[in-house]
Amino acid sequence: MEYRTADFFLGATTPAGFKGYFEALRREDGMRMYLIKSGPGCGKSTLMKRLARQAESKNIPIQRVHCASDPDSLDGVIFSGRAAIVDATAPHVVEPEAPGADEVVVSLYHTIREEQLHPHCAEVRELFDRNARLRARAARYVASAGSLLLDSRRAEACSTNFEKVRRYVKRLCTRVLPRQEGPAREELRLLSAVTPKGIVFYRSTVEDLTRRAIVFHDDYGAVSRLLLELIRAEALARGHYIITCPCAMYPEDKIDHIFLPELGLAFLTDNRWHPVHLPGVQAVRCTRFVDRENLSRSRARLRFNERAAAELLEQAEALMAQAKSCHDELESYYRAAVDFSKVEQAAQDCETLLGLT
């Protein structure tokens, strides 16, 4: 199945702090990386949006990588699995391992007029520090919410018939995942993240990448976690190309979604944090694998966890919004000091390097 544009994140604030998949992107087969180095407000996102529009005008499939701290900005663009240009500055610092071989540093530092920025050195340093403090506080709220939601997942796990889940996945994969020739491959992306705008979930990506979706309704995550782990293993064993989307709250041990673009198929997790409202999907209620009577004994615990986690995430989002406001102020100092004619020249050079002219 061909697609033109998909939207993802490559990093997010998680209970364990910032988690990014920029290094994993570097390891994808045939990937050539362009690493943008610059200060805030120096035109990185604008440059990448320009390259994305240019690729779309030439019908080159792309993935837009959004910034979880500001979903309206871009952290990167991936061009049809052959090249990617990414913001390689903090918090997702990427340094070249083989400069010039398969990685190119696109530095915009030369666009900053030091004589205009230096007089504001104290204000700039204070804004950087304040932004870091606000982000750290937001991360602590996310961590607290994550602990509560993990407690709910464990409560559901105690009532789950895991053998029944395994038998179901075996039947499902036999039916919908034909064996493919050639090696399997996997890309790691995030489809949702906690942001200053709340939890952002790119439903449009589901619509762009799939003709058919199987949606697992799971309020607590224990059943869907096993379902997606087993489906992933089967898909790779059968030689498929998959896009695996870890859960933004538990990226190390829980998958939320899996795409098989070549089949136009997706397996999705639906819950209150990222509801999947799509027409014509095959819906599977995960309660079918759960001893409901046993789970009902934890009803008060589950309700408390859900309410408290929602409040904690609201606080995290408010702090992220404050951090974004701080970052916007920081950008204003840099923007006033940038020579955008040099940024324009860098954009033209990138278009040439990427074969978009």
Side-chain angles (χ1 to χ4, degrees):
M1 177 179 176
E2 290 292 327
Y3 71 93
R4 290 191 60 190
T5 305
D7 295 276
F8 293 104
F9 297 102
L10 266 181
T13 300
T14 78
F18 181 82
K19 172 68 178 179
Y21 293 97
F22 292 82
E23 287 294 334
L25 176 64
R26 194 210 305 257
R27 309 297 174 203
E28 291 176 13
D29 290 343
M31 184 61 69
R32 184 166 175 80
M33 298 285 286
Y34 294 82
L35 311 176
I36 304 182
K37 300 286 188 177
S38 179
C42 295
K44 298 189 295 292
S45 180
T46 301
L47 184 154
M48 289 186 283
K49 287 178 180 178
R50 169 175 170 166
L51 297 176
R53 288 193 299 270
Q54 188 75 354
E56 288 177 306
S57 72
K58 295 180 175 295
N59 292 317
I60 297 172
I62 63 169
Q63 296 176 15
R64 287 186 295 240
V65 177
H66 294 263
C67 173
S69 297
D70 179 8
D72 294 329
S73 293
L74 291 185
D75 270 349
V77 184
I78 303 168
F79 301 90
S80 192
R82 61 183 177 83
I85 186 164
V86 301
D87 181 347
T89 58
H92 31 71
V93 176
V94 183
E95 297 295 345
E97 294 179 350
D102 59 1
E103 298 156 322
V104 175
V105 175
V106 180
S107 175
L108 299 182
Y109 289 127
H110 69 287
T111 69
I112 302 171
R113 292 178 288 219
E114 182 184 346
E115 69 278 6
Q116 294 193 23
L117 189 61
H118 181 69
H120 305 286
C121 177
E123 298 98 314
V124 167
R125 285 186 176 277
E126 169 56 28
L127 286 167
F128 270 117
D129 289 344
R130 192 192 318 164
N131 179 269
R133 291 195 301 270
L134 287 166
R135 288 170 59 87
R137 286 179 60 198
R140 289 195 289 272
Y141 279 101
V142 172
S144 298
S147 295
L148 293 170
L149 297 176
L150 180 58
D151 181 68
S152 295
R153 193 213 302 176
R154 288 169 174 165
E156 184 185 48
C158 293
S159 301
T160 299
N161 186 331
F162 291 111
E163 188 53 41
K164 188 175 181 181
V165 174
R166 291 185 179 91
R167 291 197 301 269
Y168 168 80
V169 169
K170 209 65 171 176
R171 294 194 304 272
L172 175 66
C173 292
T174 299
R175 192 170 71 249
V176 303
L177 296 182
R179 294 196 176 275
Q180 303 282 83
E181 296 295 328
R185 63 188 178 96
E186 179 180 34
E187 297 173 358
L188 295 173
R189 307 285 188 265
L190 292 171
L191 195 60
S192 62
V194 181
T195 81
K197 292 186 169 184
I199 296 177
V200 172
F201 170 71
Y202 287 115
R203 189 176 292 104
S204 60
T205 295
V206 180
E207 297 169 337
D208 291 336
L209 291 184
T210 64
R211 293 186 299 267
R212 179 187 179 192
I214 299 173
V215 178
F216 301 114
H217 298 283
D218 188 6
D219 291 331
Y220 308 116
V223 176
S224 58
R225 176 176 180 264
L226 181 59
L227 284 166
L228 272 296
E229 281 181 0
L230 294 172
I231 290 169
R232 172 184 176 273
E234 284 285 343
L236 292 174
R238 292 166 186 256
H240 289 277
Y241 154 51
I242 67 174
I243 301 175
T244 298
C245 300
C247 171
M249 292 297 287
Y250 311 101
E252 300 295 344
D253 77 336
K254 185 176 184 298
I255 299 167
D256 266 351
H257 320 287
I258 295 174
F259 293 94
L260 291 94
E262 292 168 349
L263 297 181
L265 175 64
F267 301 94
L268 309 170
T269 301
D270 169 87
N271 55 42
R272 68 158 291 174
W273 312 106
H274 42 73
V276 179
H277 299 306
L278 294 169
V281 299
Q282 180 180 337
V284 178
R285 294 202 170 274
C286 290
T287 49
R288 65 187 279 187
F289 304 105
V290 172
D291 182 336
R292 299 186 198 184
E293 182 178 347
N294 189 55
L295 185 62
S296 68
R297 298 189 185 104
S298 301
R299 186 177 294 117
R301 168 186 172 188
L302 295 169
R303 286 177 177 171
F304 171 82
N305 286 348
E306 184 174 354
R307 287 196 304 269
E311 290 181 9
L312 288 164
L313 289 175
E314 285 179 9
Q315 289 298 314
E317 292 155 8
L319 286 165
M320 288 179 179
Q322 292 178 44
K324 182 188 178 302
S325 178
C326 180
H327 191 267
D328 291 345
E329 189 177 351
L330 189 58
E331 284 187 338
S332 68
Y333 283 101
Y334 276 86
R335 197 174 294 116
V338 167
D339 182 343
F340 281 99
S341 66
K342 294 181 179 178
V343 177
E344 171 67 19
Q345 183 59 56
Q348 293 176 13
D349 293 343
C350 286
E351 288 180 354
T352 302
L353 286 169
L354 287 161
L356 299 177
T357 53

